Amino acid sequence: MRNLDQHTITQEVIARLADTPDPRLKEVFGSLVRHLHDFAREVSLTEDEWAKGIAFLTATGQKCDDKRQEFILLSDVLGLSMLTVAMNNAKPPQCTEATVFGPFFVDDAPHYDNGADVANGAAGEPCEVSGAVLDPAGRPIAGAKIDVWQADAQGLYDVQRDELDAAQGRGVLHADSEGRYHFHSVLAEAYPIPTDGPVGEFLAATARHPWRPAHLHFRIEATGYETLVTHVFREDDQWLDSDAVFGVRHSLIAPWVRRDDGSYSLHYDFVLNPATASKSAPKTSSETAPETTLRH
């Protein structure tokens, strides 16, 4: 132990985890140590590069507050968020696919009746959104809880606007007795993720753009079914094939139809996957996202 070198230190670190009471914690950290050490050896990491990496992670943490989570943003642009979603949300083909949660969800969104205007003054062209929440057999799921949130015409979420004292472009509704939902909002627009922090510096250094295609966020919960966290994307968006956070799925792309009066409409039905004995009841918001308000 007094003569550890680059070839022997990994096993010694892993050995120090031998008495970890939680077997899953032991497994995860043991694997993390192996991969971190192998990475350092593979790229011949220099001390200067190591210091710059520490500085980058420190700056990432310092950019986080109760309204912004830069680490989630970093996870998103590295594809880790979507990889985790893909690994943990395998569903039958008829069920609606999941995608990244994103960092703009809040727990205390206002509640609305079906047919209400959730835009609440948000800038943008008027849009009517409707559809149904169904089970895999096409039967309606009455009373399903539907969280919806989106950016305005300037590509900003309400939580990014310090001047606001009320929610805009977000709300909670419930499907009616026939599983239907219906609300008014504004047309979804593409927007860039925040680039004023370490993640923005990373994107610039790797010659990547920060744009997300236009989309609406949904989180749908119903007793006896897996909670669905997803987006619906505008089919005509230029960024669909290069989403900065890798969240697009073909089945989640839909047309926003322009009406004669200049407003738009979107119709989209969601199909929930029944919960199984191996899976617990629908996850709560605290289980699907950090306690802080997320940003991205």
Side-chain angles (χ1 to χ4, degrees):
M1 271 196 319
R2 296 186 181 184
N3 294 293
L4 295 174
D5 60 25
Q6 62 176 305
H7 303 294
T8 59
I9 189 171
T10 302
Q11 283 308 120
E12 180 59 29
V13 175
I14 292 173
R16 302 283 181 95
L17 301 173
D19 296 328
T20 304
D22 185 331
R24 178 60 175 168
L25 184 66
K26 178 180 177 181
E27 177 188 12
V28 170
F29 270 89
S31 181
L32 177 64
V33 168
R34 282 193 296 274
H35 285 285
L36 277 176
H37 286 212
D38 286 343
F39 157 74
R41 283 187 284 261
E42 179 183 340
V43 301
S44 299
L45 191 68
T46 69
E47 290 178 282
D48 181 59
E49 290 166 341
W50 172 84
K52 288 179 178 177
I54 294 296
F56 176 80
L57 294 176
T58 300
T60 300
Q62 291 170 339
K63 198 66 177 177
C64 299
D65 57 28
D66 63 338
K67 293 184 177 180
R68 178 161 177 170
Q69 234 302 348
E70 192 79 355
F71 272 112
I72 288 183
L73 194 60
L74 178 59
S75 172
D76 291 343
V77 301
L78 293 176
L80 179 59
S81 300
M82 195 58 219
L83 171 61
T84 304
V85 168
M87 290 192 302
N88 288 275
N89 286 274
K91 303 176 188 296
Q94 66 269 36
C95 293
T96 304
E97 291 187 273
T99 189
V100 290
F101 200 81
F104 292 121
F105 174 81
V106 297
D107 277 315
D108 57 350
H111 286 245
Y112 290 96
D113 292 331
N114 262 323
D117 177 15
V118 306
N120 195 28
E125 299 181 73
C127 182
E128 183 178 23
V129 183
S130 63
V133 182
L134 309 169
D135 72 8
R139 296 180 294 250
I141 300 176
K145 180 184 177 184
I146 304 168
D147 277 273
V148 60
W149 63 105
Q150 69 170 105
D152 61 21
Q154 282 74 52
L156 294 174
Y157 288 81
D158 53 0
V159 291
Q160 294 177 287
R161 294 187 176 277
D162 294 334
E163 73 276 13
L164 293 179
D165 57 7
Q168 289 187 339
R170 76 172 67 244
V172 179
L173 308 98
H174 287 83
D176 66 17
S177 60
E178 297 182 6
R180 298 173 301 188
Y181 70 92
H182 170 218
F183 63 91
H184 294 269
S185 191
V186 295
L187 180 67
E189 302 281 2
Y191 62 84
I193 61 174
T195 57
D196 60 340
V199 172
E201 295 175 5
F202 165 75
L203 292 178
T206 54
R208 285 177 55 185
H209 73 73
W211 286 88
R212 296 221 63 205
H215 59 272
L216 272 173
H217 291 265
F218 289 87
R219 186 185 71 174
I220 305 176
E221 300 171 277
T223 301
Y225 296 87
E226 296 176 10
T227 294
L228 173 66
V229 175
T230 195
H231 306 358
V232 179
F233 295 89
R234 273 179 62 184
E235 69 174 3
D236 57 349
D237 195 281
Q238 66 174 312
W239 306 109
L240 288 172
D241 293 318
S242 60
D243 179 13
V245 305
F246 309 97
V248 178
R249 292 294 177 267
H250 181 74
S251 66
L252 302 177
I253 299 172
W256 265 253
V257 179
R258 185 176 176 85
R259 295 168 163 173
D260 292 339
D261 63 0
S263 67
Y264 288 80
S265 67
L266 166 68
H267 185 91
Y268 196 89
D269 293 340
F270 296 94
V271 179
L272 302 189
N273 193 31
T276 64
S278 62
K279 296 184 178 181
S280 59
K283 296 178 182 178
T284 65
S285 58
S286 63
E287 294 172 314
T288 55
E291 293 179 359
T292 56
T293 299
L294 307 183
R295 295 291 174 273
H296 125 67

